[in-house]
Amino acid sequence: MTLRRKLLLVALCTLALPVAGWLYVRQMENLLRDGQAQALTASARAVARSLAVTGATLPEGGEGWYVQNADTPITVDGYGDDWAPLTPWSEPVGTRGKLLLARDASWLYLWLDVRDSRRTRAEVDDPLVLRADHVMLTLARGSAQRRYLLASAAPGPISARPLDPPVDGLPDLLTAQWQEDGSGYRIELRIPRAAGVSALGIGVFDPADGGDPLAVEQRPLLAYSRTLSAELAQLAPDDVHARVLSPDGWLLAQSGRRDADRNQDVQPGWFAALIYRSLLADRVQASQPWMQDAPRLLTDEVTRARHGTPAAVWRDGETRASVVLDAAVPIERAGQVRGVLLLEQASRAVPLLANRALFGLLLTSFAVLLVAGGILLAFATRLSLRLGKLRDAAERAQAADGRLDGLFRQGRFPLADAPDEVGDLARSFEKLFEAVGGYTDYLRTLASKLSHELNTPLAIVKSSLDNLEHALDAEGGVPAGAAPYLDRARDGTARLGMLVRAMSEASRMERAIAASEPEDVDLRDVVRGCADSYRVLAGTRRFDCVLPAAPLPFHGAPELIAQALDKLFDNALSFTPADGWLRLELHAIDGGAQITLANQGPLLPEAMQARLFDSLVSLRDKATPGDAPHLGLGLYVVRLVAERHGGVALARNLDDGSGVAFTLQLFGMPRPRL
């Protein structure tokens, strides 16, 4: 991974800033909502306590039959078309019936739907009516009550038969409509509001189920109270929708409206609403649009309040980007829960403030991230460029033979003047290359120094041997036992002299190569002349020469090329067996020429192929007595000739494994500028 990418990854650590800020805003939003919930719950407690103390009309406790307001006229005909808007809030009676009660200014209406596919029919005056399908109805006024029996053998109008003596105010005659089909029967009747019915009991008897034919389920009547609503309106806080519910959730009174910040002019957009709900409002429950006009509410907070525990819940609002806080508290009187007070407060301020804080944080964090990322990217780019420059300089600092490049000989190493760590590294490289360059120069001049230093002691040894031989001759000749030692000393002196001359020749060759002057020649003629002389030297070995058909113009030093070919041929000849072969080829290449000398013989070690052309490197065995020493300077001279002509010297094993090939790629010496 590059340095810039690593620093960019480091820059991503600044993302911790918006994350921490988001957690902070979320915590503050939760604290804000908790504070608002506690305040609304405290207000609800105060209102509930006031309702309990002032003696407001509240249910006595337990379940009751709820009487809804009839917004449309109801016709008593036994059909349920008029009851359709009220059907969702029907109440079960026994296991088979569903009851609906409604009222208008004059009448109290009753609708009973009984599911019974197998019926036993009887008229209300039939002595066996209590063993057939029938309905018992009880009307109560205060402590007085009266029972009525409803039954019919066929659909149509029926009259309820009183079973109890007359009661002041309660009707003596109730007319009803009885309709039935294959799934059951339905009863619809009405009772005058003037009767003052305060409780109602109803029982559905089915002979198939058995039981008491006179049993009824009696409950007090519950209804919406305008008086209680007016009293509630005086106690409830402003901008709050207040509702008083019975313990089982029926609406008894309400006041106020859920206006979400009526004076708030700023309306959050859909994106702000989405951000609030997805990133901040983790405790907002789903909205329930039917709650506004529902006659019965059994939400979580109401259920908890009816058991004596206050509760507050946040819900989605009815408008975009608004929330609703519901606070439900029990209304207690004499230690008994008589009702539930529900306060609902809609607000856009909470999500608006949270969104503003979050957006401000995100914008600030984004700006900080961009600035930090840009600074780190610029720093990484500059550092990468400087390190790249240092790398390129280190790669170009030394030539293939170890000599320092002229650019670094003339001035300081790049970036060596920088005051930072990169400058320290550049100065360390500079010292290292200076040491390596000095050592390389010493090694390159070592041969000439040794040849110069060895000439004097070598001359002393040779003259001493000559004087010794003359002295022995004057005294009667060399003793027989000393002659071999004298011959060995002379042989060693001769070999040492040849070694000194070879080192001197190599030094002179380097200087000659550097000082050679180029000329325009036909390279084909140069190679042909060398090949003609090599045929005699090859002896029993087969020698082939492949030349181009056309002349090959070349700008270079022909004597240097001939010397390089002599070194290559001498090297190849020494490794080629007596019955082997040699092949010399010349080809034109793009911008220059290529000379290849291949020979049959042992293969080159893989590790040595790249080092054969270095100074003092040789693969020959140790010289035997009488042989000329080999210092590994021949192929080094070949490389110098190739580099002097702008090319390279290469060595490789042949693909068929029969021998090796040495190649010179030459591109010509530079022409002098006019």
Side-chain angles (χ1 to χ4, degrees):
M1 184 180 294
T2 62
L3 185 61
R4 277 184 290 184
R5 291 184 179 179
K6 291 180 180 179
L7 289 180
L8 283 178
L9 289 179
V10 173
L12 292 179
C13 294
T14 56
L15 289 177
L17 177 63
V19 172
W22 166 67
L23 293 176
Y24 175 75
V25 172
R26 187 170 181 171
Q27 183 66 23
M28 294 302 297
E29 196 269 347
N30 289 335
L31 291 176
L32 181 62
R33 286 197 286 150
D34 290 342
Q36 190 169 349
Q38 293 177 5
L40 189 62
T41 301
S43 299
R45 286 179 180 272
V47 174
R49 191 177 299 111
S50 299
L51 291 175
V53 170
T54 57
T57 303
L58 297 172
E60 293 298 328
E63 296 183 348
W65 301 114
Y66 189 73
V67 181
Q68 304 183 58
N69 291 323
D71 296 330
T72 58
I74 297 178
T75 302
V76 180
D77 54 6
Y79 296 99
D81 298 342
D82 302 334
W83 297 86
L86 310 179
T87 302
W89 295 279
S90 60
E91 301 177 72
V93 178
T95 59
R96 297 179 179 272
K98 291 184 178 180
L99 177 66
L100 282 173
L101 296 174
R103 67 180 181 180
D104 58 17
S106 302
W107 300 94
L108 173 65
Y109 299 92
L110 180 146
W111 168 266
L112 180 64
D113 186 358
V114 179
R115 296 298 175 181
D116 186 6
S117 58
R118 297 169 54 187
R119 296 188 298 279
T120 303
R121 297 176 176 84
E123 292 294 340
V124 71
D125 296 329
D126 192 324
L128 301 178
V129 66
L130 294 181
R131 297 182 180 179
D133 292 310
H134 66 274
V135 174
M136 293 295 301
L137 178 66
T138 300
L139 301 181
R141 181 176 181 177
S143 58
Q145 63 182 18
R146 193 176 188 184
R147 296 177 299 171
Y148 300 85
L149 176 64
L150 293 91
S152 177
I158 61 172
S159 296
R161 190 182 76 181
L163 300 183
D164 297 321
V167 176
D168 186 24
L170 295 179
D172 294 328
L173 178 64
L174 290 177
T175 58
Q177 285 286 337
W178 181 295
Q179 299 292 339
E180 61 182 42
D181 53 23
S183 62
Y185 58 90
R186 290 161 294 280
I187 300 175
E188 185 178 18
L189 59 84
R190 65 181 182 179
I191 304 168
R193 291 279 302 272
V197 177
S198 59
L200 183 144
I202 191 165
V204 177
F205 180 78
D206 187 351
D209 297 338
D212 185 0
L214 300 178
V216 297
E217 182 179 0
Q218 184 166 329
R219 303 179 188 176
L221 295 182
L222 305 177
Y224 182 82
S225 173
R226 298 185 180 275
T227 302
L228 183 59
S229 297
E231 187 174 354
L232 180 63
Q234 297 178 355
L235 299 174
D238 297 336
D239 298 331
V240 171
H241 184 211
R243 286 190 264 196
V244 175
L245 308 175
S246 67
D248 50 348
W250 293 105
L251 179 63
L252 303 180
Q254 67 178 351
S255 67
R257 295 186 305 169
R258 287 184 304 187
D259 291 341
D261 299 340
R262 288 177 294 180
N263 298 326
Q264 182 68 43
D265 297 330
V266 180
Q267 299 292 330
W270 66 269
F271 183 71
L274 178 63
I275 291 296
Y276 177 76
R277 282 172 169 76
S278 59
L279 297 180
L280 298 175
D282 57 336
R283 293 186 297 168
V284 177
Q285 299 184 8
S287 61
Q288 300 181 17
W290 53 266
M291 289 176 54
Q292 180 68 30
D293 300 318
R296 189 178 192 183
L297 297 178
L298 285 178
T299 56
D300 295 338
E301 61 272 25
V302 173
T303 302
R304 293 172 61 184
R306 64 185 290 190
H307 292 94
T309 303
V313 175
W314 287 89
R315 300 183 184 278
D316 284 335
E318 297 176 0
T319 59
R320 183 181 61 193
S322 66
V323 289
V324 175
L325 173 61
D326 294 347
V329 297
I331 303 175
E332 298 179 338
R333 182 180 291 172
Q336 183 181 8
V337 177
R338 303 289 296 275
V340 174
L341 175 64
L342 178 64
L343 297 186
E344 300 167 275
Q345 186 176 40
S347 174
R348 290 192 184 96
V350 172
L352 187 61
L353 292 176
N355 283 337
R356 285 178 176 175
L358 182 60
F359 283 145
L361 174 67
L362 291 179
L363 290 177
T364 303
S365 301
F366 184 69
V368 171
L369 182 61
L370 285 181
V371 173
I375 293 175
L376 286 177
L377 181 60
F379 172 75
T381 302
R382 181 174 180 271
L383 184 58
S384 298
L385 293 176
R386 296 177 70 200
L387 292 178
K389 184 178 181 181
L390 190 61
R391 177 204 61 208
D392 297 339
E395 291 178 351
R396 299 193 309 265
Q398 282 189 300
D401 58 354
R403 290 174 296 178
L404 287 180
D405 186 65
L407 174 64
F408 304 105
R409 289 182 178 273
Q410 297 173 1
R412 300 202 64 184
F413 200 81
L415 303 177
D417 296 329
D420 55 2
E421 288 78 1
V422 177
D424 293 339
L425 181 60
R427 287 186 288 274
S428 299
F429 278 162
E430 186 179 39
K431 293 179 181 178
L432 176 61
F433 281 117
E434 287 178 355
V436 172
Y439 183 68
T440 302
D441 291 340
Y442 170 76
L443 291 180
R444 292 181 62 251
T445 60
L446 180 60
S448 61
K449 292 178 181 178
L450 287 176
S451 63
H452 177 73
E453 295 295 333
L454 289 176
N455 277 323
T456 300
L458 183 60
I460 294 174
V461 172
K462 185 177 180 182
S463 61
S464 298
L465 289 175
D466 292 339
N467 293 332
L468 177 61
E469 186 176 3
H470 288 302
L472 291 176
D473 289 340
E475 295 179 0
V478 179
Y485 299 104
L486 187 59
D487 292 338
R488 291 178 185 176
R490 288 185 176 278
D491 181 68
T493 303
R495 292 181 60 193
L496 185 58
M498 294 173 61
L499 179 63
V500 172
R501 287 193 297 274
M503 289 190 296
S504 300
E505 181 183 355
S507 300
R508 291 194 300 271
M509 180 62 70
E510 289 187 28
R511 292 192 294 270
I513 291 174
S516 61
E517 295 293 334
E519 59 180 283
D520 292 326
V521 297
D522 183 0
L523 193 57
R524 184 181 63 170
D525 293 339
V526 176
V527 175
R528 179 186 294 114
C530 293
D532 293 340
S533 61
Y534 298 156
R535 296 184 190 277
V536 178
L537 299 176
T540 59
R541 304 171 183 85
R542 189 179 83 250
F543 181 79
D544 298 325
C545 181
V546 180
L547 301 175
L552 184 55
F554 189 76
H555 186 73
E559 67 279 1
L560 294 182
I561 298 175
Q563 289 181 10
L565 291 179
D566 292 344
K567 300 292 184 182
L568 290 178
F569 183 79
D570 179 66
N571 180 77
L573 190 63
S574 62
F575 286 99
T576 305
D579 58 347
W581 54 265
L582 298 97
R583 184 172 60 252
L584 179 62
E585 299 180 1
L586 173 63
H587 298 287
I589 60 175
D590 187 15
Q594 177 173 298
I595 304 174
T596 302
L597 179 59
N599 68 282
Q600 183 180 0
L603 301 180
L604 298 174
E606 292 292 336
M608 293 294 295
Q609 293 184 20
R611 299 180 51 220
L612 279 178
F613 296 94
D614 292 344
S615 179
L616 302 179
V617 175
S618 176
L619 293 180
R620 299 175 188 266
D621 296 333
K622 292 183 179 179
T624 57
D627 292 339
H630 298 283
L631 300 181
L633 297 174
L635 294 182
Y636 173 64
V637 171
V638 171
R639 192 192 77 182
L640 294 179
V641 172
E643 292 178 352
R644 185 70 176 92
H645 289 83
V648 293
L650 305 172
R652 61 181 177 87
N653 294 320
L654 296 177
D655 295 337
D656 57 3
S658 60
V660 298
F662 291 84
T663 301
L664 289 178
Q665 292 182 353
L666 308 176
F667 297 96
M669 297 172 63
R671 295 180 181 273
R673 295 183 180 179
L674 298 179

